[in-house]
Amino acid sequence: MTTTTTGTTDEASFFGPDSQFSAFFDDPRWALAMIRATVLEAAHPQIGAALVDNSTFVAHPWRRLRNTFLSMRRMFGTDPAVREREAARLNRLHARMSGSDSRGRAYDAMDRATRAWVVATLFESAVTMCRLSGQPLGQDSMERMYAEYRAFLAALDGDAEELPEDLNDFWPYFDRVVENELENTEAARVILYRLFDHLPAPALLDGAPALWAAGRAIGGPLLGAITVASLPEPYRRRAGLPETPGASTLMQGAYLAAGLARFLPAGWINAESIIETLSLSPDSDDPRARTAAALNSRVKRAAALVRLLTPLDADPEPDRSSPTDRGEGRRSAEEFFRTVLDQTGDGLLDWPDLAAMARELSTRLDLDEPEETRLYDAFAAWWRELQAALDTDGDGRVSAEEYAAAVPSLAGPALIRVAEVLFEATDRDGSGAIDAVEYRALFRTAFHRDLDTTDGTYGRSAFVGDFV
């Protein structure tokens, strides 16, 4: 595909490590710009509704960050085959997201104008981050980057006609959408006022909850204030976002401080390595995880010493639950519901949660379309099975209480089919067996779990039995 985006320049020339966009991958300012762009996306009614219904960014923000980063790496890489495969994967993902919002307005993640707005927010936020950090882009650089973003949209949609061809026409388009279409959506409010204040720890720091909570209590409100202050003034006014005293100065200081990274030697900041490290489980056998685990252990010992030296105001509230009410099995079921099944973080289980699980597994295992479709079909059957067995009040969703009360229904025929599809995806040569290395690799890749397995092979029935 060689869609022309500006003049006679070929689309392929806009990708690769020499692109203007790729220069931002390891730039600390890009983290602030991405958060800002995400809020502007979520403020669009169609995107906001799709996020609320389908996205896992509330319950699994670090996973969402990692997936987005890796996807952009593939889209802006040098290999056109990788780019086309990733574009096809993204299109299949978005094609499964449609519905209506709380006001009955339809949304469709494949809507071309809406997808163009996502790209527009990324470009405008990149330009804004450069300006706010005291390093504004020159006209030539800005035009070059705009052409790159249009090429990115063309790689997804086949053309970039939904974005103005000329940069001078882009700014009126952007202002018009901000003024006339953006709203104070539920998704935007969740990002600004819930996500920052309740941001879960990344996997690597999950073993230090007190330390993470203390840092989040300070950093969350600051990050929220910085983001609000950086949003376009017409949107802040229209959405009724509060203006925190001093937030504008704080925002300017944050961007300026992040911009100082340009003085660091090349290669000192590697965003991909940082994201991958944060995603490691504390019990992973990766050397980076072992180093972090050792640091966590020292932090815990220091925290314990502080607690010993600090008098407590009152005894903690005792757990008055009886063994009958709070048995191990029920606690285990509720924990599984919260950490595994409730992917969207709304406290309820419905099809978007199971779809998110299928989507995540398909992404981690890099499945081709036929395998991906079989996995989605298996998860759809599992959802129908769970709904029929557990939805006692008939509201079309399963609560944590309904699930915990009937947890044996989890391991029905549909879950067995999920396991079979995963086995087939692992058994690449179709031999009907996988070895211990493939078995461990599947669980490490798909579930980020390191298993202790003996050498040997696993047939279909043995694998399914272990999985269920």
Side-chain angles (χ1 to χ4, degrees):
M1 183 170 56
T2 55
T3 304
T4 299
T5 55
T6 55
T8 59
T9 306
D10 188 83
E11 173 193 303
S13 66
F14 294 117
F15 299 101
D18 295 328
S19 67
Q20 185 78 36
F21 178 82
S22 294
F24 293 142
F25 273 131
D26 298 324
D27 192 326
R29 298 175 301 170
W30 187 238
L32 297 172
M34 281 291 288
I35 296 172
R36 179 182 185 276
T38 301
V39 173
L40 289 174
E41 293 170 21
H44 191 287
Q46 282 216 30
I47 300 172
L51 286 173
V52 167
D53 285 352
N54 300 279
S55 182
T56 63
F57 74 95
V58 173
H60 303 282
W62 300 102
R63 190 178 77 191
R64 171 71 186 274
L65 171 65
R66 178 179 181 273
N67 290 346
T68 300
F69 184 87
L70 293 179
S71 178
M72 296 297 282
R73 278 288 199 199
R74 292 170 184 162
M75 289 299 297
F76 275 89
T78 56
D79 190 337
V82 172
R83 183 163 56 251
E84 290 175 10
R85 190 170 190 269
E86 180 64 12
R89 186 190 71 83
L90 290 173
N91 286 334
R92 293 196 304 270
L93 182 155
H94 291 138
R96 294 185 173 99
M97 297 182 184
S98 60
S100 57
D101 65 11
S102 58
R103 294 166 56 181
R105 298 176 296 184
Y107 70 83
D108 183 352
M110 288 296 289
D111 179 75
R112 288 165 60 86
T114 304
R115 284 153 69 95
W117 175 247
V118 172
V119 177
T121 63
L122 291 171
F123 168 73
E124 190 274 343
S125 291
V127 172
T128 299
M129 87 174 185
C130 292
R131 175 176 55 81
L132 292 176
S133 60
Q135 305 168 55
L137 292 172
Q139 186 66 21
D140 290 345
S141 296
M142 200 182 305
E143 290 181 353
R144 167 75 183 184
M145 188 166 66
Y146 184 62
E148 291 172 5
Y149 276 93
R150 293 191 80 243
F152 169 58
L153 180 61
L156 288 173
D157 276 358
D159 62 58
E161 297 304 315
E162 292 294 335
L163 280 181
E165 182 174 353
D166 189 88
L167 176 61
N168 292 325
D169 296 327
F170 170 81
W171 302 112
Y173 152 81
F174 183 86
D175 292 341
R176 175 181 58 77
V177 175
V178 169
E179 287 275 8
N180 301 325
E181 298 185 35
L182 300 192
E183 300 175 359
N184 187 11
T185 63
E186 179 184 352
R189 293 193 300 272
V190 165
I191 295 172
L192 290 172
Y193 303 118
R194 178 182 169 190
L195 180 59
F196 291 153
D197 290 344
H198 300 86
L199 185 68
L204 192 61
L205 301 179
D206 199 35
L211 179 65
W212 177 258
R216 183 181 59 194
I218 298 173
L222 290 178
L223 194 54
I226 290 169
T227 303
V228 170
S230 70
L231 295 172
E233 193 276 334
Y235 173 67
R236 297 203 310 270
R237 184 180 64 250
R238 189 161 182 256
L241 298 179
E243 295 186 13
T244 305
S248 180
T249 302
L250 178 66
M251 178 265 296
Q252 290 277 357
Y255 274 94
L256 286 171
L260 295 177
R262 69 185 186 276
F263 296 114
L264 294 174
W268 272 41
I269 298 177
N270 187 301
E272 186 168 359
S273 294
I274 293 172
I275 293 173
E276 289 289 346
T277 301
L278 289 173
S279 301
L280 291 172
S281 171
D283 58 358
S284 170
D285 59 3
D286 188 290
R288 295 170 297 180
R290 290 199 297 268
T291 300
L295 291 174
N296 278 342
S297 178
R298 294 185 179 185
V299 170
K300 287 180 180 178
R301 288 198 295 269
L305 179 60
V306 170
R307 286 195 297 271
L308 286 173
L309 298 175
T310 304
L312 299 177
D313 294 333
D315 292 333
E317 183 70 18
D319 183 2
R320 296 187 174 90
S321 301
S322 68
T324 302
D325 293 334
R326 300 283 300 174
E328 286 298 323
R330 188 176 183 89
R331 281 202 300 269
S332 177
E334 290 175 350
E335 178 70 7
F336 185 80
F337 184 96
R338 182 182 64 82
T339 61
V340 178
L341 295 180
D342 184 16
Q343 292 285 303
T344 57
D346 62 357
L348 296 166
L349 177 65
D350 55 11
W351 166 239
D353 295 296
L354 276 293
M357 294 172 69
R359 182 168 68 244
E360 181 64 18
L361 287 174
S362 298
T363 300
R364 292 183 183 182
L365 296 173
D366 197 21
L367 299 183
D368 292 322
E369 183 174 4
E371 294 172 323
E372 180 185 287
T373 299
R374 287 197 294 271
L375 188 63
Y376 268 90
D377 290 344
F379 269 91
W382 189 25
W383 164 239
R384 290 192 295 270
E385 191 174 90
L386 289 172
Q387 187 180 27
L390 307 181
D391 182 19
T392 56
D393 59 7
D395 66 350
R397 301 176 296 182
V398 176
S399 67
E401 291 75 17
E402 288 173 325
Y403 174 78
V407 67
S409 299
L410 169 69
L415 182 59
I416 292 174
R417 179 53 188 155
V418 171
E420 290 176 339
V421 172
L422 292 175
F423 177 85
E424 292 162 4
T426 308
D427 180 22
R428 295 290 183 179
D429 58 5
S431 65
I434 59 176
D435 60 31
V437 174
E438 292 172 320
Y439 187 94
R440 287 193 295 269
L442 168 65
F443 274 83
R444 174 176 289 181
T445 303
F447 304 103
H448 293 172
R449 293 183 62 188
D450 290 304
L451 300 181
D452 292 327
T453 58
T454 58
D455 292 334
T457 60
Y458 295 76
R460 180 189 296 263
S461 60
F463 173 85
V464 169
D466 282 355
F467 180 88
V468 173

